[in-house]
């Protein structure tokens, strides 16, 4: 049910009852103020701009302090985001301020992906808050909200038009953060050029569909001043931490050979307008817009990616439990399907492996038969050769025996002949 329908029903069913005396619920705003003051506030600013445009100096000037930080160089290999958190105290109100600067933005030759680290950083803060919100035991009242509430986009004071890098980056960021464009170091261009530059910037933002933050005009107490300040966007600002004595007062200013530029003089720059709009008038609206618009958009897209939805195909309410059950059944079905696919793949692999093993076994048997036949052939050859050698040995032995027999018979025959001759001689 839409919020307007609920409000309409409540309005129709409510009655105005006059009170006979003081009850005390008129102190509710005081209770809220006291509770908020005791807890403190947080505010996160993202400063996007090229190196050397005075981002750190402007932050020091806005909060009238000196933040610690190292100056960035032009030799960064890529865009890096540097985050610093400070605890500020003004009167009895505490503020946890986080300043995120883009180190190396616009210094690379190839600037095609310069916006990606910024977008990833903003999404990472949204994701951290969403994970904390989805926990069973949430501690959001003590959680340090690191979501970016305002993006001060520093535009170089060229006096001509926006760079392609500026248009692409702001187009990628306008759905994720409240963009407030400002012209940095506006004292480097003349008044006439500055007026034309503002008009040129506004027309280019509109023609390229870039949605910048508009100061709210729905609240009657600030509608007039915010409507006037919307016409001054983008703000042309100057930052300085040096104090110069002007008249009888010490004022923040920048001294030049030709004169002095006062930071808080509205005739010189729009610094006072920026401080009023950013800190004193619309800080809470920036925080609210971050939560209700940009974070809700990220949260909705993230939950839709996870399969959660509010209505079924028939546009009927769909509870979280039903969504969980449907998603669980879908997951179990996919898991079962994947298990069946893996089982079939396993069976197929087993069959292929068995076929490979059978083929290998067949090859081994064939090789074994070949080797066996070869072995038998070799064995037969060896047996034949052995038989022939045995025959030769036997023949040799026979010849040897015959020779020995002849040799033994030879001496006996010679002796008998000698005796016969001796007898004949005697006779």
């Amino acid at each position: 049910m839409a919020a307007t329908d609920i409000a309409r029903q409540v309005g129709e069913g409510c009655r105005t009852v006059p009170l006979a005396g003081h009850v005390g619920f008129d102190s509710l705003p005081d209770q809220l103020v006291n509770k908020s003051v005791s807890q403190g506030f947080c505010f996160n600013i993202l400063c996007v701009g090229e190196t050397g445009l005075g981002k750190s100096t402007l932050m020091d000037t806005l909060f009238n302090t000196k933040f610690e930080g190292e100056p960035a160089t032009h030799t960064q290999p890529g865009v890096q985001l540097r985050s610093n958190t400070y605890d500020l105290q003004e009167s009895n109100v505490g503020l946890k301020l986080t300043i995120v600067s883009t180190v190396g933005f616009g210094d690379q030759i190839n600037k095609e992906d310069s916006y990606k680290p910024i977008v990833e950083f903003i999404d990472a803060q949204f994701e951290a808050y969403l994970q904390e919100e989805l926990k069973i035991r949430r501690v959001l009242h003590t959680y340090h909200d690191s979501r970016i509430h305002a993006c001060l986009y520093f535009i170089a004071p060229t006096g001509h038009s926006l760079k392609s890098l500026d248009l692409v980056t702001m187009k990628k960021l306008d759905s994720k953060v409240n963009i407030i464009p400002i012209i940095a170091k506006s004292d480097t261009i003349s008044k006439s050029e500055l007026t034309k530059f503002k008009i040129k910037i506004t027309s280019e933002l509109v023609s390229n569909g870039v949605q910048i933050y508009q100061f709210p005009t729905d609240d009657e107490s600030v509608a007039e001043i915010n409507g006037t300040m919307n016409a001054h966007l983008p703000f042309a600002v100057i930052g300085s931490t040096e104090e110069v004595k002007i008249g009888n007062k010490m004022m923040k200013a920048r001294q030049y050979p030709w004169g002095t530029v006062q930071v808080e003089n509205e005739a010189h720059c729009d610094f006072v307008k920026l401080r009023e709009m950013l800190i004193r008038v619309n800080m809470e609206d920036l925080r609210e817009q971050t939560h209700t618009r940009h974070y809700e958009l990220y949260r909705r897209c993230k939950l839709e990616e996870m399969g959660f939805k509010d209505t079924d195909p028939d546009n009927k309410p769909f509870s979280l439990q039903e969504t969980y059950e449907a998603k669980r059944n879908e997951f179990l079905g996919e898991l079962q399907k994947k298990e069946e696919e893996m089982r079939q793949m396993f069976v197929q692999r087993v069959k292929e492996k068995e076929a490979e093993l059978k083929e290998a076994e067949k090859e081994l048997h064939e090789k074994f038969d070949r080797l066996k036949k070869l072995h038998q052939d070799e064995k037969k050859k060896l047996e034949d050769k052995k038989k022939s050698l045995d025959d030769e040995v036997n023949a040799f032995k026979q010849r040897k025996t015959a020779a020995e027999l002849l040799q033994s018979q030879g001496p006996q025959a010679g002796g008998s002949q000698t005796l016969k001759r001796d007898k004949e001689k005697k006779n």
Side-chain angles (χ1 to χ4, degrees), residues 401-411:
T401 304
E404 290 177 350
L405 183 59
L406 290 174
Q407 288 179 0
S408 62
Q409 291 177 355

Side-chain angles (χ1 to χ4, degrees), residues 358-377:
K358 287 181 180 179
E359 187 68 23
E361 186 179 3
K362 183 179 178 181
E363 292 179 358
L364 287 173
H365 281 300
E366 292 177 354
K367 187 175 182 181
F368 177 74
D369 293 339
R370 288 197 304 270
L371 292 174
K372 185 177 180 181
K373 185 178 180 181
L374 183 63
H375 174 69
Q376 291 176 352
D377 294 341

Side-chain angles (χ1 to χ4, degrees), residues 28-166:
L28 181 59
D30 297 332
Q31 297 176 31
L32 294 176
V33 169
N34 294 333
K35 185 177 181 180
S36 298
V37 169
S38 64
Q39 291 179 351
F41 303 90
C42 71
F43 192 63
N44 307 318
I45 301 177
L46 171 65
C47 298
V48 181
E50 299 177 6
T51 306
L53 287 182
K55 299 186 291 294
S56 301
T57 304
L58 183 64
M59 291 296 102
D60 294 344
T61 311
L62 272 175
F63 293 95
N64 196 23
T65 185
K66 179 65 176 176
F67 296 115
E68 298 177 357
E70 298 178 357
T73 63
H74 292 275
T75 59
Q76 297 292 332
V79 180
Q80 299 177 356
L81 277 82
R82 184 183 298 167
S83 177
N84 294 302
T85 303
Y86 309 94
D87 289 322
L88 305 181
Q89 188 79 20
E90 187 175 16
S91 298
N92 64 332
V93 179
L95 178 68
K96 186 180 288 292
L97 176 67
T98 301
I99 299 176
V100 183
S101 59
T102 54
V103 180
F105 182 79
D107 290 338
Q108 293 75 36
I109 296 176
N110 184 5
K111 304 178 179 65
E112 184 178 359
D113 298 332
S114 296
Y115 67 90
K116 287 186 178 180
I118 305 174
V119 174
E120 291 172 358
F121 179 84
I122 297 174
D123 287 343
Q125 312 316 308
F126 284 154
E127 182 65 25
Y129 191 88
L130 178 61
Q131 293 299 325
E132 181 66 28
E133 199 176 44
L134 293 177
K135 286 181 179 179
I136 297 177
R137 299 180 61 182
R138 300 182 298 177
V139 286
L140 293 176
H141 61 283
T142 59
Y143 175 75
H144 177 218
D145 187 4
S146 59
R147 295 172 298 178
I148 301 299
H149 300 127
C151 172
L152 298 182
Y153 197 95
F154 288 71
I155 301 172
T158 58
H160 295 286
S161 62
L162 289 173
K163 299 178 181 179
S164 300
L165 176 63
D166 299 329

